[in-house]
Structure formats: structure tokens, C-alpha cells
Amino acid sequence: MIAIDVVRPLRRHSPSRTTLLYGAALVNAEILWLLAYTVTTGIVPNEPLYYYPFVWLNVGLWAIWRTRPAKTTPGRRRIAIVVAAGYFLVLSYVGGLFGAAAVPAGTSPAGARLATLSIPPGYSPALLYQGEFLRAAVIPYKLVGYLALAYLVYATAIDAAGAALSGVLGLLSCVSCTWPILATIVGGLAGSSTALVGTVYSQSYGLSTIVFVVTVALLYWRPTR
């Protein structure tokens, strides 16, 4: 009969007191952020869409805080960095954080601006940039989420070759969940911030949030030796 040790994995992944303390401080800051938004705009955040960004931010920051890449050789570390950087660039491009510019003929690039008015916390402050060759929409929750996934892939690539499979699956699943919102994100780059607000009401946000959390879980609780 084979005995299965379930206590050791639970102990390994259980949060420390420091993690709980910082987590509580982060949640309190987010509550104050939402209260400030409500007072400023008069809008009560009573829909799930207002809270999706906080799931991305909290889960992403937690994963970064808790992940400790294994020690390895410089060569393997460089390979892992390249893999993670490519992962981040693919997610950022497909998710609409940046892309090729589409400036109409005879017009000049609009430059950079910070979109904050009437946009809920987490979706804002969004840095929008329209240049001659590049456009970008740096949305806070996506930036943190994609960085967290890239960091997890970096740690996964350093691990044993068998564990790297979860990194590949994570990449495919997260990219596939972001394509439905690509058109609305891109639409907000060259226009007013209202186009960016429109993305908040897309039904795909709930699905992409679920897939993001599942992907983080797969990459964080990957097989270890």
C-alpha cells in the first residue's frame, strides 16, 4: 500500500504571516481605491466587472511574491529568460497592450496620454500611446497579470523538463482567452477613453479571469521533484 503525503504540499503552499499581512494591506488599499472612485464619479461598483481587475492584480502579485525560482546554471537561466520574455510579448500583443500603429494617411501620431476619467480602478490609469509605428494601451491589471504569468513561466522553464509542459499549456490557454477582447482594446487606442470604457462591459472579462486564475494555478502548483 502506497502512503500519500498530503501534509507536506499543503505546508509548502500555505501562506506565511507576512504574506497574509501584506495581502490584507493590499485589499484595504483596493477598498479605499474603490471608495475614492465612487465618491469621485458617483458610480456604485455593484457589478462583477468592477472586481475582475482586482482578481488579476491580487492573484498575480501573490504568485510573484510566493514563487522562488530554483537555482540553476547561467546558461539555463538565460534560456528561461528568453522563454519568459517571448511569453510576455505574445500575451501583450494578443491581449492588446501593444501593436503596430494604424495612423491614417495625412495625420500625425496622437502621442501618449493617461486615461483615468470615468474608468474603474484596475482598468485605469491606462497609458495610451499612438505613434507612427507603435500603439500601446498599458492597462494595469493586464500588465501585472502578464508579468506574473511570464515570471511563473521563467520559474517553470528552470524546473525539470517534464514540468515545462504546464508552461506551454498555460501560454496556449491564456492567449486563447484574450483574443475576444482584442478588437475592443485596439479600438480604444486611437479614440477617446470612452472606447476603453466599453471594454469593461465585455462578457469575455469573466471568462478570461477564470482562465487566468486557472493558468496561474497550473504554473504555480506545477510538478516538482
Side-chain angles (χ1 to χ4, degrees):
M1 187 174 183
I2 301 176
I4 300 176
D5 185 2
V6 296
V7 177
R8 184 178 299 175
L10 290 176
R11 187 182 296 116
R12 172 177 173 258
H13 295 298
S14 60
S16 64
R17 290 184 179 180
T18 303
T19 300
L20 292 175
L21 178 62
Y22 284 135
L26 176 62
V27 171
N28 286 334
E30 290 168 347
I31 292 174
L32 292 175
W33 196 5
L34 277 172
L35 288 175
Y37 169 76
T38 301
V39 171
T40 303
T41 64
I43 300 174
V44 179
N46 55 0
E47 297 291 338
L49 60 89
Y50 290 102
Y51 300 95
Y52 291 145
F54 295 118
V55 176
W56 285 65
L57 291 169
N58 294 347
V59 171
L61 291 174
W62 174 84
I64 293 173
W65 175 262
R66 295 282 295 172
T67 300
R68 297 292 182 269
K71 294 182 179 180
T72 188
T73 62
R76 195 166 186 177
R77 186 179 298 109
R78 284 193 291 269
I79 293 174
I81 291 174
V82 171
V83 171
Y87 186 105
F88 177 75
L89 289 175
V90 170
L91 289 178
S92 298
Y93 178 78
V94 177
L97 292 190
F98 76 93
V103 182
T107 62
S108 58
R113 62 191 180 87
L114 200 62
T116 58
L117 194 61
S118 302
I119 302 177
Y123 300 98
S124 68
L127 178 61
L128 306 181
Y129 173 77
Q130 178 69 61
E132 186 176 355
F133 304 104
L134 179 71
R135 55 166 175 73
V138 183
I139 302 173
Y141 85 94
K142 280 193 171 187
L143 179 62
V144 172
Y146 293 167
L147 285 173
L149 288 173
Y151 185 65
L152 288 170
V153 166
Y154 168 75
T156 302
I158 289 179
D159 280 350
L165 177 60
S166 63
V168 176
L169 294 176
L171 170 62
L172 294 176
S173 62
C174 197
V175 168
S176 66
C177 84
T178 57
W179 73 264
I181 59 175
L182 179 62
T184 47
I185 293 292
V186 171
L189 301 180
S192 65
S193 59
T194 4
L196 187 60
V197 176
T199 65
V200 173
Y201 300 97
S202 171
Q203 293 299 320
S204 62
Y205 273 85
L207 177 61
S208 64
T209 299
I210 292 173
V211 177
F212 169 74
V213 172
V214 171
T215 304
V216 168
L218 288 174
L219 291 171
Y220 180 75
W221 282 288
R222 60 194 178 277
T224 55
R225 293 182 178 183

